[in-house]
Amino acid sequence: MVSRIAEVWQYRAMLWSLVLSELRTRYRGSFLGFLWTFINPLLMLLVYTFVFSKIMKVVMPHYPTFMFIGLLAWNLFASGVQSSSSVIVRQGSLVKKIYFPREILPLSVVGGSVINYAFSLVILIPFLLVSGFYPTFYWFYIPIILLMETILTVGLALLFASLTVYLRDLEHMLNIFMMLWFYFTPVVYSLSMLPGRMSVIFKFNPVADAVLAFQSVLYYNQSPHWKLFVYGCFVSIVLLLLGWSIFNRLSRRFAEEV
Amino acid sequence: MTDAQPAIRVNHVTKSFRVHLERNQTLKEKILYAGRAKYRDFVALRDVSVDIMPGESVGLIGVNGSGKSTLLKLMSRILYPDVGTIEVAGRVSSLLELGAGFHPDFSGRENIFMNGALLGLSRREISYKIGEIIEFSELGDFIDEPVRSYSSGMYMRLAFSVAVAVDPEILLIDEILAVGDAAFQAKCMSRLKELRGQDKTIVIVTHDASAVERFCDKVVWMHNSRVRMEGQPVECIQTYLATVFRAANEGANTMSFDRTGAHPDHTNSSSLADEATGEERVDTDPMDLRWGTGDVVIDRITVTSSMGEGLVKCGDPLDITMHFHVVRSVQDVDFGVGIFSEEGTQCYGTNTRVDRHQTISLEVGTGHVTFRADNFCLLPGTYAIDVACSAADTQAHDYWRKASKVQVFSDRPDVGICRIPHDWELIRDTASIEFARM
């Protein structure tokens, strides 16, 4: 395992180059180009604000802020896992022709999602300031929460990336599954809105832990609920190890199956 | 370096692929056909063992589908063996396909960075080498244009330039020696020689027998998923070429899944003997291809060299023998042969009269006549052979078009129609001349 990590590290130039080309090609050819990286979350914010404040009339102070914080965290996870699930097949020509640690491919996808998240902070932070949320010391938790969520995302990305090679349906099933998962994660509502016992289920959801932690730090101006957070870290690491070992086992035949 | 460890040790490796007859990759199919998956195993390598020592240049040869590329992919860890182990000691760079991972929208320069990264170079290493890479590629101003706008030759140039800039201890190369124009190919070859001079271990898969012979210290010949022969380049390549062309003549090169019957020592020796007596097939439409009075009938033709029936190495002796029987006695006849290329060009034609052989008169009975070439100098290709027995007034007793065929192969890449028997003589006047192995 240590040697695997060392090898991935040795190929960091490739990882970085894949992340960059992914970011650079995503909006290539479009008129606004790279600006879309910022416009996307901004438009998303406008749509959700309109729907939930004007049509659904949610009674929660600064609801758009609350929701936007959770939504960005969710998007990091969802886009990372979903896009990873097809990455081995998409990059089949590389897999068949060149040796490199296969982990690089899903890692590059998740890396792209993390960087996108960082870019969307450029929208989120001014929005927080405008809405009256000023920086506090709790903001120093952000990198740690981000790390925990990244670990979780990488674990599931490795798992689905390797499984999808053998079972192509998974990519499409994942779309529906992710939608369901989204509504089981307190992004558009807060846990306090749920009837008593129900919130317990949510605590087993590791993505919810990450989202809740972001909300605590940015919205409620608190430190994350430490029990939940430790639990989230634990689950993330377990999923990472599980995903990685399955990936390792399955990656031996990638070149034949893509 | 008495007991040096091999750079690459392939130890009793077997590798098979599942060939899906119907691809059951969706869930529905997986469930429906669970337990009776429609595939068959194709054994690409069967108990293969090869040791490659550090600093050796090894050529992997073999017909298409013989397992040589699979072996190379196993060495580069793209595939993993089912049985057996592969140990590789040293930093490996594998060039299985030039330009894999090139991004058409990016410029040549950007692609150098991306491709270098794919081959395991760090950004700093690439920055350090980029001048050298661009210079080697000779792409000039095009280097800042998107790769999309490159011609395929330019694309290959760029790819090869990046590939050889990687400074590995072990270099694995698949079929990429034919890159760009002649001048660039020479440059690639000299770069490879330079690497060989630096004691790099190099494994090349190629069909270019002459390149292997010039470049490699050792040849491994793969045949039907096994190592058929391993050793000195000249020896291996000659046996290989002879076997391959013989098989081509027999139409036995068809690929087959089932290789269980292919024993490693079911080789040329036995089949050679079998064929010496082989009869030639008569073409399906004899009317167009054969005419004459029928006073003398040519029964069959044998075309033999030391390589076997219907096969000769350029420059070796070849015998064309006509077995005939005489129906009615004839006076003053001649026997002739004509040799035609695949395009129908007559490469050579002669007869006993033209060659001022003594007058031939035949009584009823049988006999044979042999056209014996000491140096069959036509260059590689398949040639049709016409034979004839004619009277003095050119009236044919039996003219048989395309009576037989001969396959010529060569271990030298000289070009043209025939190899003019020649020598080179180099005389030193004033210039100092040094001789060295190419």
Side-chain angles (χ1 to χ4, degrees):
Chain A
M1 177 142 282
V2 175
S3 68
R4 299 291 304 168
I5 296 173
E7 204 178 9
V8 171
W9 176 246
Q10 195 196 324
Y11 275 81
R12 63 193 181 280
M14 177 186 181
L15 178 58
W16 185 236
S17 143
L18 282 173
V19 170
L20 277 187
S21 68
E22 161 73 16
L23 289 176
R24 290 177 57 187
T25 48
R26 184 175 293 173
Y27 301 112
R28 186 165 278 254
S30 63
F31 180 65
L32 293 171
F34 194 67
L35 273 180
W36 276 109
T37 310
F38 304 106
I39 298 170
N40 250 340
L42 194 64
L43 290 179
M44 211 157 58
L45 178 65
L46 290 177
V47 169
Y48 278 89
T49 307
F50 175 72
V51 171
F52 286 98
S53 315
K54 303 293 173 213
I55 301 178
M56 306 271 295
K57 304 242 194 285
V58 180
V59 278
M60 184 178 186
H62 299 291
Y63 177 74
T65 316
F66 170 83
M67 197 209 56
F68 197 46
I69 292 166
L71 194 62
L72 291 183
W74 168 261
N75 277 349
L76 158 60
F77 169 77
S79 71
V81 172
Q82 258 171 316
S83 176
S84 290
S85 78
S86 58
V87 73
I88 305 287
V89 181
R90 262 187 287 138
Q91 300 279 22
S93 62
L94 288 185
V95 172
K96 275 191 212 170
K97 296 295 178 191
I98 303 179
Y99 172 79
F100 55 91
R102 306 310 190 195
E103 291 89 337
I104 296 282
L105 291 178
L107 280 176
S108 74
V109 170
V110 177
S113 299
V114 172
I115 287 172
N116 251 324
Y117 180 81
F119 282 133
S120 57
L121 288 181
V122 175
I123 302 296
L124 177 64
I125 289 172
F127 186 70
L128 285 173
L129 297 179
V130 168
S131 317
F133 294 86
Y134 296 110
T136 62
F137 281 110
Y138 298 118
W139 285 28
F140 285 108
Y141 279 111
I142 293 175
I144 304 169
I145 306 169
L146 196 58
L147 179 68
M148 170 248 189
E149 194 181 344
T150 306
I151 291 173
L152 172 68
T153 310
V154 168
L156 288 176
L158 287 169
L159 179 70
F160 286 110
S162 50
L163 289 178
T164 305
V165 174
Y166 297 87
L167 188 62
R168 304 283 164 97
D169 290 50
L170 214 52
E171 192 189 339
H172 309 292
M173 286 157 64
L174 204 57
N175 283 336
I176 299 299
F177 183 62
M178 279 293 178
M179 199 161 87
L180 192 67
W181 199 337
F182 175 72
Y183 287 105
F184 275 88
T185 307
V187 173
V188 292
Y189 51 84
S190 74
L191 281 189
S192 57
M193 293 177 183
L194 295 174
R197 305 284 305 260
M198 230 177 124
S199 66
V200 180
I201 317 170
F202 291 82
K203 292 180 178 162
F204 289 105
N205 172 1
V207 190
D209 295 329
V211 168
L212 286 172
F214 275 117
Q215 287 165 348
S216 309
V217 168
L218 291 170
Y219 183 81
Y220 295 109
N221 279 331
Q222 302 166 349
S223 54
H225 190 294
W226 72 270
K227 270 189 199 160
L228 268 185
F229 188 70
V230 168
Y231 166 79
C233 289
F234 174 75
V235 172
S236 301
I237 289 168
V238 168
L239 281 175
L240 176 67
L241 294 177
L242 178 77
W244 198 7
S245 69
I246 290 175
F247 185 90
N248 247 330
R249 186 175 301 246
L250 294 180
S251 69
R252 291 166 73 93
R253 289 183 80 94
F254 278 175
E256 295 158 51
E257 295 286 341
V258 294
Chain B
M1 296 273 282
T2 42
D3 35 27
Q5 287 296 305
I8 303 172
R9 161 164 278 170
V10 179
N11 199 8
H12 296 289
V13 162
T14 296
K15 174 76 191 170
S16 47
F17 294 107
R18 277 182 186 182
V19 180
H20 294 270
L21 301 177
E22 282 165 36
R23 241 181 139 68
N24 298 334
Q25 255 171 344
T26 64
L27 186 66
K28 184 185 88 182
E29 289 163 343
K30 284 223 166 158
I31 292 171
L32 280 177
Y33 303 122
R36 48 194 173 108
K38 292 180 182 169
Y39 65 84
R40 53 194 299 183
D41 279 331
F42 167 65
V43 182
L45 293 178
R46 194 186 291 276
D47 194 24
V48 169
S49 297
V50 177
D51 277 358
I52 292 167
M53 303 307 288
E56 253 182 344
S57 300
V58 177
L60 283 177
I61 56 172
V63 295
N64 292 332
S66 57
K68 54 193 192 313
S69 290
T70 303
L71 184 57
L72 202 70
K73 281 187 178 174
L74 284 159
M75 288 175 179
S76 49
R77 289 185 297 171
I78 289 172
L79 300 174
Y80 292 83
D82 298 334
V83 181
T85 55
I86 293 188
E87 293 154 40
V88 179
R91 178 171 165 178
V92 180
S93 173
S94 54
L95 314 178
L96 298 189
E97 189 178 278
L98 286 177
F102 268 11
H103 205 298
D105 286 338
F106 293 152
S107 74
R109 191 185 298 273
E110 288 165 311
N111 268 301
I112 291 178
F113 277 96
M114 288 169 51
N115 207 240
L118 292 186
L119 296 170
L121 287 180
S122 73
R123 231 183 146 68
R124 191 190 302 160
E125 284 173 298
I126 303 168
S127 308
Y128 179 72
K129 284 181 175 169
I130 191 154
E132 187 192 324
I133 295 172
I134 295 172
E135 197 190 313
F136 190 90
S137 73
E138 298 170 354
L139 282 171
D141 295 337
F142 277 97
I143 202 70
D144 290 312
E145 296 294 317
V147 166
R148 180 163 24 91
S149 66
Y150 284 20
S151 74
S152 58
M154 289 160 69
Y155 191 87
M156 290 314 229
R157 274 169 174 256
L158 182 66
F160 189 84
S161 307
V162 183
V164 293
V166 182
D167 191 28
E169 291 161 56
I170 299 170
L171 190 60
L172 308 173
I173 305 172
D174 192 359
E175 296 286 7
I176 56 167
L177 292 176
V179 187
D181 50 42
F184 192 70
Q185 273 188 34
K187 208 168 155 184
C188 295
M189 205 62 202
S190 72
R191 170 73 187 162
L192 286 179
K193 279 179 187 154
E194 199 181 304
L195 288 171
R196 187 179 69 165
Q198 293 163 11
D199 263 354
K200 310 283 186 195
T201 309
I202 302 176
V203 182
I204 299 184
V205 166
T206 181
H207 286 116
D208 184 349
S210 65
V212 171
E213 194 175 316
R214 276 178 289 141
F215 183 77
C216 296
D217 310 319
K218 179 172 135 180
V219 165
V220 176
W221 169 20
M222 300 295 299
H223 192 70
N224 276 350
S225 314
R226 298 176 194 265
V227 177
R228 171 84 162 257
M229 194 171 169
E230 186 181 344
Q232 290 296 313
V234 181
E235 214 175 299
C236 281
I237 286 168
Q238 293 201 357
T239 325
Y240 162 69
L241 289 175
T243 312
V244 170
F245 281 111
R246 183 175 313 110
N249 271 4
E250 293 162 8
N253 270 354
T254 315
M255 295 179 206
S256 147
F257 276 158
D258 187 21
R259 289 180 176 175
T260 43
H263 269 279
D265 41 19
H266 172 80
T267 59
N268 39 353
S269 53
S270 60
S271 49
L272 240 176
D274 296 344
E275 285 150 24
T277 56
E279 301 225 348
E280 274 303 316
R281 304 168 290 278
V282 179
D283 270 291
T284 45
D285 195 359
M287 294 302 289
D288 287 349
L289 297 170
R290 208 161 173 183
W291 61 89
T293 61
D295 292 344
V296 180
V297 177
I298 298 168
D299 300 316
R300 62 186 173 91
I301 315 294
T302 55
V303 181
T304 43
S305 78
S306 57
M307 293 295 172
E309 175 80 8
L311 180 74
V312 64
K313 185 176 154 205
C314 179
D316 276 5
L318 180 77
D319 286 358
I320 300 172
T321 303
M322 296 164 244
H323 300 264
F324 60 88
H325 71 270
V326 183
V327 179
R328 268 186 295 276
S329 305
V330 284
Q331 303 291 315
D332 191 18
V333 297
D334 57 66
F335 287 95
V337 297
I339 298 170
F340 295 83
S341 71
E342 273 170 315
E343 299 86 50
T345 310
Q346 180 156 28
C347 301
Y348 192 65
T350 190
N351 63 36
T352 48
R353 198 183 307 277
V354 170
D355 286 340
R356 310 211 167 126
H357 193 274
Q358 62 198 86
T359 309
I360 303 168
S361 297
L362 300 170
E363 299 299 320
V364 175
T366 61
H368 61 268
V369 53
T370 298
F371 166 85
R372 178 163 291 155
D374 291 336
N375 169 2
F376 192 79
C377 62
L378 289 178
L379 288 183
T382 307
Y383 297 90
I385 298 173
D386 289 8
V387 291
C389 176
S390 307
D393 57 359
T394 71
Q395 167 69 51
H397 292 300
D398 188 3
Y399 195 106
W400 191 354
R401 295 212 62 173
K402 298 189 178 177
S404 185
K405 277 190 298 187
V406 63
Q407 177 86 45
V408 185
F409 69 94
S410 169
D411 53 2
R412 277 188 251 170
D414 44 357
V415 295
I417 298 162
C418 73
R419 180 176 299 155
I420 295 173
H422 63 281
D423 271 316
W424 292 91
E425 188 179 44
L426 183 59
I427 292 163
R428 194 181 112 161
D429 290 335
T430 51
S432 111
I433 298 166
E434 278 179 42
F435 291 97
R437 186 171 174 261
M438 279 212 354

